[in-house]
């Protein structure tokens, strides 16, 4: 709880050919030997993440990747894992050895960055080994439409200038999404319904609840935290009705019954669906729940790899509610962690978690992949509210979504 979650950090991916000095650069930027450095090509196999503070940007994550020119069957797999990092990157550092010139590998990466509208910085490394001709600088500037930064990861030459360039080129609105800041005003009262989650370590709340409390406090509103059986009593003790009630999705029915009908009600999961992805798309995906038939394939996707407890929300509860809604059994499959399945066309529906452990770019990438495959995707909280028949109530803080609900 004392550190910024990785999902809330600016993700800066470092790409380049083998032995361009990517690992050395990440060590120089972090001032730590976090990445293994070797003269042997292909030392870095899987992406390496290093969290740090880079003022004035604040919390960032540098991602070291395998060489984009790796060879062989295993090399192709490593390259693909590197390319997958673009789905979660907020900006890219393309590291080049100026002595090797521009190749098809750099141009392909630049093309991919342009398609994803990713800010790109070109870093010419090994400036200590050989001078960079002005003609090459001009070629890089022309072909990549950006001024390169000259550095030496070995001697730390130019590292300060590179940090400044990162600050100047970082996306200006990379993490300006608020959880509840636009839903509350100074002095508002927000009641949070927090069942004690068995998956949370003793003495702690789960991440979405902690982040929501912090966002409420950041916007000078007041947060009241209660368990589901205390909601009705807590509302009765307030000198005015709360301005907003936010519940764990698993307690939706209880919260709906105990919250006055004129008080907006939603869930942590729905707030994160809006914060990390595209809530309108996820709400539209709820229509597919009514079209499911027994035997259909449904993917339940979670961004983290937590230990599943008895009556787990993704493994037990949501499948049970969906079976009840469909009136028969469904073919459920599960995925968890950072790897999202490649072949999703076979599914009739994807039900995704709140995405509190991944960043917005990665969640949007997953939604886009579902759209390209023609597979409806819905969020845990939206799904639960829909099967319980209270989706309209759960979206009451978001009047702009009423048209989407009408279409459903």
């Amino acid at each position: 709880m004392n550190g910024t979650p990785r999902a809330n950090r600016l993700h800066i991916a470092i790409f380049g050919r083998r032995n361009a000095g990517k690992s050395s650069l990440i060590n120089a930027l972090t001032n730590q030997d976090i990445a293994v450095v070797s003269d042997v090509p292909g030392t870095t196999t899987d992406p390496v993440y290093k969290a740090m503070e880079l003022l004035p940007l604040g919390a960032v994550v540098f991602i070291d990747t395998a060489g984009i020119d790796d060879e062989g069957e295993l090399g192709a797999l490593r390259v693909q894992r590197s390319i997958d990092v673009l789905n979660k990157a907020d900006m890219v550092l393309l590291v080049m050895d100026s002595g090797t010139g521009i190749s098809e590998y750099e141009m392909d990466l630049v093309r991919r960055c342009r398609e994803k509208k990713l800010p790109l910085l070109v870093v010419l490394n090994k400036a200590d080994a050989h001078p960079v001709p002005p003609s090459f600088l001009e070629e890089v500037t022309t072909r990549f439409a950006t001024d390169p930064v000259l550095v030496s990861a070995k001697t730390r030459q130019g590292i300060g200038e590179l940090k400044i360039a990162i600050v100047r080129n970082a996306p200006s609105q990379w993490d300006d999404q608020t959880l509840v800041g636009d839903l509350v005003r100074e002095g508002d009262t927000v009641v949070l319904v927090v069942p004690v989650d068995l998956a949370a370590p003793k003495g702690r709340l789960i991440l979405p609840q902690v982040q929501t409390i912090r966002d409420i406090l950041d916007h000078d509103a007041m947060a009241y935290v209660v368990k589901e059986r205390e909601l009705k009593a807590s509302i009765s003790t307030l000198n005015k009705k709360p301005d907003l009630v936010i519940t764990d999705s698993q307690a939706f029915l209880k919260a709906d019954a105990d919250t006055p009908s004129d008080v907006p009600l939603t869930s942590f999961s729905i707030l994160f669906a809006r914060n990390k992805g595209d809530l309108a798309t996820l709400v539209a995906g709820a229509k597919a729940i009514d079209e499911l038939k027994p035997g259909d394939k449904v993917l339940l996707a979670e961004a983290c790899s937590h230990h599943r407890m008895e009556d787990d929300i993704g493994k037990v509860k949501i499948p049970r509610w969906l079976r009840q809604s469909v009136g028969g059994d469904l073919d459920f499959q599960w995925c968890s962690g950072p790897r999202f399945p490649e072949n999703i066309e076979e599914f009739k529906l994807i039900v995704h978690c709140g995405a509190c452990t991944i960043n917005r770019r990665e969640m949007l990438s997953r939604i886009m992949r579902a759209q390209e495959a023609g597979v409806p995707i819905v969020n845990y909280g939206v799904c639960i509210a829909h099967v319980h028949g209270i989706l309209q109530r759960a979206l009451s803080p978001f009047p702009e979504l009423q048209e989407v609900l009408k279409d459903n």
Side-chain angles (χ1 to χ4, degrees):
M1 291 173 62
N2 294 326
T4 301
R6 194 169 84 182
N8 285 15
R9 293 173 178 266
L10 176 69
H11 284 49
I12 305 172
I14 301 179
F15 284 86
R17 278 184 272 171
R18 291 171 294 171
N19 275 9
K22 302 183 299 298
S23 298
S24 297
L25 182 65
I26 200 171
N27 288 341
L29 285 166
T30 61
N31 202 29
Q32 299 180 45
D33 291 330
I34 189 64
V36 177
V37 176
S38 171
D39 291 331
V40 178
T43 301
T44 301
T45 55
D46 289 324
V48 176
Y49 295 76
K50 176 56 184 174
M52 65 173 289
E53 297 291 322
L54 183 64
L55 298 177
L57 279 180
V60 303
V61 173
F62 285 107
I63 311 173
D64 187 16
T65 64
I68 54 178
D69 63 335
D70 213 336
E71 301 172 335
E73 185 175 349
L74 286 177
L77 291 174
R78 288 195 281 264
V79 170
Q80 185 56 52
R81 289 205 171 194
S82 295
I83 295 300
D84 287 345
V85 168
L86 292 176
N87 291 331
K88 64 185 69 177
D90 296 300
M91 67 181 304
V92 169
L93 304 186
L94 174 56
V95 183
M96 299 174 55
D97 181 342
S98 58
T100 61
I102 300 173
S103 74
E104 60 182 289
Y105 299 107
E106 286 85 12
M107 295 309 301
D108 178 66
L109 185 74
V110 170
R111 177 184 59 79
R112 292 176 183 272
C113 290
R114 286 173 179 168
E115 288 177 353
K116 293 180 176 293
K117 299 181 180 180
L118 279 172
L120 174 76
L121 271 179
V122 177
V123 182
L124 300 182
N125 193 22
K126 304 183 181 180
D128 60 306
H130 38 249
V132 181
S135 58
F136 184 70
L137 288 175
E138 183 177 350
E139 181 185 5
V140 171
T141 301
T142 301
R143 298 185 70 178
F144 296 156
T146 183
D147 292 326
V149 181
L150 275 65
V151 305
S152 167
K154 181 178 180 180
T155 66
R156 304 295 199 266
Q157 172 190 343
I159 295 301
E161 288 80 358
L162 176 56
K163 290 182 178 180
I164 293 172
I166 291 173
V167 171
R168 288 176 175 171
N169 288 273
S172 59
Q173 298 178 332
W174 70 274
D175 193 22
D176 65 350
Q177 299 287 324
T178 180
L179 281 167
V180 294
D182 59 333
L183 304 178
V184 299
R185 296 171 297 181
E186 181 179 347
D188 276 359
T189 301
V190 183
V191 177
L192 308 179
V193 184
V194 179
V196 177
D197 196 320
L198 294 177
K202 184 176 178 62
R204 290 174 55 189
L205 299 175
I206 62 175
L207 184 60
Q209 297 162 359
V210 172
Q211 291 182 319
T212 303
I213 292 171
R214 173 58 191 264
D215 200 43
I216 291 169
L217 298 178
D218 282 344
H219 290 87
D220 300 319
M222 296 177 286
Y224 287 76
V225 183
V226 300
K227 289 188 287 189
E228 66 273 29
R229 64 174 179 264
E230 300 162 348
L231 173 60
K232 190 172 185 177
S234 69
I235 291 177
S236 67
T237 62
L238 297 173
N239 59 11
K240 68 179 184 70
K241 290 181 181 179
D243 300 286
L244 177 65
V245 173
I246 304 170
T247 181
D248 186 289
S249 297
Q250 300 176 65
F252 247 141
L253 285 178
K254 176 68 172 170
D256 178 50
D258 292 345
T259 301
S261 59
D262 57 344
V263 173
L265 169 70
T266 192
S267 75
F268 294 101
S269 183
I270 289 176
L271 288 176
F272 272 82
R274 187 179 73 130
N275 179 261
K276 293 296 182 72
D278 178 11
L279 182 54
T281 298
L282 297 171
V283 170
K287 181 180 180 181
I289 297 174
D290 300 328
E291 300 173 354
L292 289 175
K293 297 178 177 61
D296 283 346
K297 288 188 175 182
V298 177
L299 176 65
L300 285 105
E302 294 190 337
C304 64
S305 302
H306 68 274
H307 177 66
R308 298 189 187 279
M309 306 295 290
E310 182 181 354
D311 213 22
D312 182 81
I313 181 66
K315 191 71 174 181
V316 179
K317 290 185 177 180
I318 289 179
R320 182 173 68 233
W321 291 326
L322 287 175
R323 290 189 191 102
Q324 292 170 350
S325 176
V326 172
D329 202 6
L330 294 163
D331 183 0
F332 291 105
Q333 294 186 30
W334 289 265
C335 72
S336 60
R339 301 290 292 176
F340 197 61
E342 292 294 330
N343 301 317
I344 58 175
E345 293 83 1
E346 59 183 326
F347 296 104
K348 294 296 184 181
L349 177 67
I350 298 173
V351 186
H352 203 288
C353 72
C356 65
T357 63
I358 58 177
N359 65 7
R360 178 173 171 81
R361 183 176 288 276
E362 184 173 0
M363 185 59 203
L364 288 173
S365 173
R366 294 184 176 194
I367 292 174
M368 291 172 64
R369 284 183 55 190
Q371 290 176 323
E372 291 172 0
V375 181
I377 182 170
V378 69
N379 159 275
Y380 272 20
V382 172
C383 173
I384 294 170
H386 182 80
V387 297
H388 287 334
I390 59 171
L391 182 55
Q392 185 169 5
R393 178 79 196 279
L395 297 175
S396 55
F398 317 108
E400 68 276 10
L401 292 177
Q402 296 309 308
E403 289 301 319
V404 179
L405 284 174
K406 290 179 182 178
D407 293 338
N408 280 4

